[in-house]
Amino acid sequence: MRNRDAALDGIRAFAALGVWLLHVGSNTGVMYREGMYAWMMARLGIAVPIFFLLSGLLLYRPWARAVIEDTPRPAPLRYLWRRVLRVMPVYWLVAGLGLWAWSSLDWLGWVKWMLLVQNYFPDEHTAEGLYQMWTLPIEMAFYIVLPALAWALHKWARRGANPPVRLLAGIAVLPVITVVTVIVTREFEQPQLALLLPYHLVFFACGMAMAVLSVWIGHSKVIDSLAPQLLVLAALLYAVLSTDLAGPRTLTLPTLSQSLVRISLEAAIAILLVAPFALASRPGSLRQRVLGNPVTAYLGRISYSFFLWHAPVVTLQLKLTGAPPFGGDFPSVAVVSFVVSLLLSVGSYHLIEIPALKLARRRSAPARPPAAPAPEPAVPAA
């Protein structure tokens, strides 16, 4: 389990680096130039579906185990409390600094941001340096919905003779919700729906299905033997994702067909990248050594802080250097923003995230039974 979790941390690290590189490329204008490299940089947003899939995998797995192995289900309130302590403290710090420095929001706007509901008010001004935060309300919405969703899936799966299959069948409904939402978004010109959970539910569903398989079948020899081919196929699909088939690389809205192609390719790539580690963990394999080594695993552990810090750091750097919009120097912005974001991430991880996680574990751990009284001696001590 340790090696598997380390490799998944490594995937998270590379996803966070992908988001950082995407934003460095967009802010310096490199992403909008001609050529395949620019197109492939523009699709580094694939990191977001990977994050969502990992959330579905890791958070739903205890509920899947409860169905398949008849273990106790997580307590919803404890689970939600841990999620709040995992996400909110560092977010409040970074978002608060960004809003203080670059926003003109009134107190109600601040409340919306502090409660992670800003996606539900898309017409309001977005603070500079916080443009990556749009993913967090979607994550939080999934966290809140998951206990009820897991309860419904539990009831559904327990009514039949083959609970794992019924679980997978129930989870298969969730991508349909995404397809319907995408169609409504594009056909009725409602782009704000792309900021809500239903639009991205397919990625969480892929992770939830993978959680079921990880409990049900454990280590898959087939996936283990095909792991190199799966990773190569993911790279090939990423090349396809980098073409016009998946829509424009600017903020221009894609067509319905482009949106469906993009979501399908992103889901397939995320599955192909994560499955060799979640369903076929093998400590001695090359893939495990690359992603599960101590350096990448540590970067994965601080990746949430890195995700939060990198955008305001890039914004501040460009303001201090006086770079024109989309005209900054890519190498210098990349190097400075990476180093500064990394240092800030190490600090916030150890000073904020770890204490919050310890508090979450302490509050959610069951109380220890009182110690039994020491037996009375048979004769008085001399």
Side-chain angles (χ1 to χ4, degrees), residues 117-336:
V117 296
Q118 65 268 26
N119 282 16
Y120 304 96
F121 305 91
D123 295 331
E124 289 194 358
H125 172 70
T126 300
E128 288 186 83
L130 300 178
Y131 42 78
Q132 85 285 24
M133 300 295 192
W134 69 269
T135 65
L136 294 183
I138 298 171
E139 283 271 8
M140 186 58 71
F142 176 72
Y143 299 159
I144 295 172
V145 168
L146 182 57
L149 182 58
W151 175 85
L153 289 170
H154 189 101
K155 293 294 184 182
W156 159 257
R158 284 295 186 175
R159 291 178 180 175
N162 198 329
V165 173
R166 291 180 67 86
L167 269 185
L168 293 173
I171 293 171
V173 175
L174 303 181
V176 177
I177 296 176
T178 290
V179 172
V180 172
T181 306
V182 172
I183 293 173
V184 171
T185 300
R186 296 294 171 245
E187 291 298 307
F188 294 92
E189 298 182 353
Q190 299 294 322
Q192 71 275 9
L193 294 179
L195 297 175
L196 305 182
L197 175 61
Y199 195 97
H200 305 271
L201 200 53
V202 58
F203 308 122
F204 295 101
C206 291
M208 294 171 66
M210 203 173 292
V212 173
L213 294 174
S214 69
V215 175
W216 184 20
I217 66 176
H219 182 90
S220 171
K221 294 182 179 179
V222 174
I223 293 180
D224 189 9
S225 63
L226 293 177
Q229 291 89 334
L230 296 179
L231 296 175
V232 170
L233 180 58
L236 293 175
L237 290 181
Y238 184 81
V240 177
L241 179 67
S242 302
T243 66
D244 291 320
L245 289 174
R249 50 184 165 144
T250 63
L251 296 179
T252 304
L253 293 178
T255 64
L256 174 59
S257 61
Q258 289 172 334
S259 297
L260 292 174
V261 167
R262 178 166 182 168
I263 285 179
S264 300
L265 287 173
E266 288 177 336
I269 294 167
I271 292 170
L272 291 170
L273 286 176
V274 177
F277 304 94
L279 302 179
S281 177
R282 185 155 53 87
S285 63
L286 176 61
R287 66 180 186 275
Q288 204 79 23
R289 294 197 303 270
V290 170
L291 286 181
N293 69 76
V295 174
T296 53
Y298 178 77
L299 290 176
R301 289 194 293 273
I302 68 171
S303 61
Y304 177 57
S305 282
F306 188 87
F307 173 84
L308 296 178
W309 281 115
H310 80 276
V313 168
V314 170
T315 300
L316 179 61
Q317 181 180 354
L318 292 175
K319 287 182 176 296
L320 291 176
T321 58
F326 311 114
D329 179 61
F330 179 85
S332 62
V333 173
V335 171
V336 173

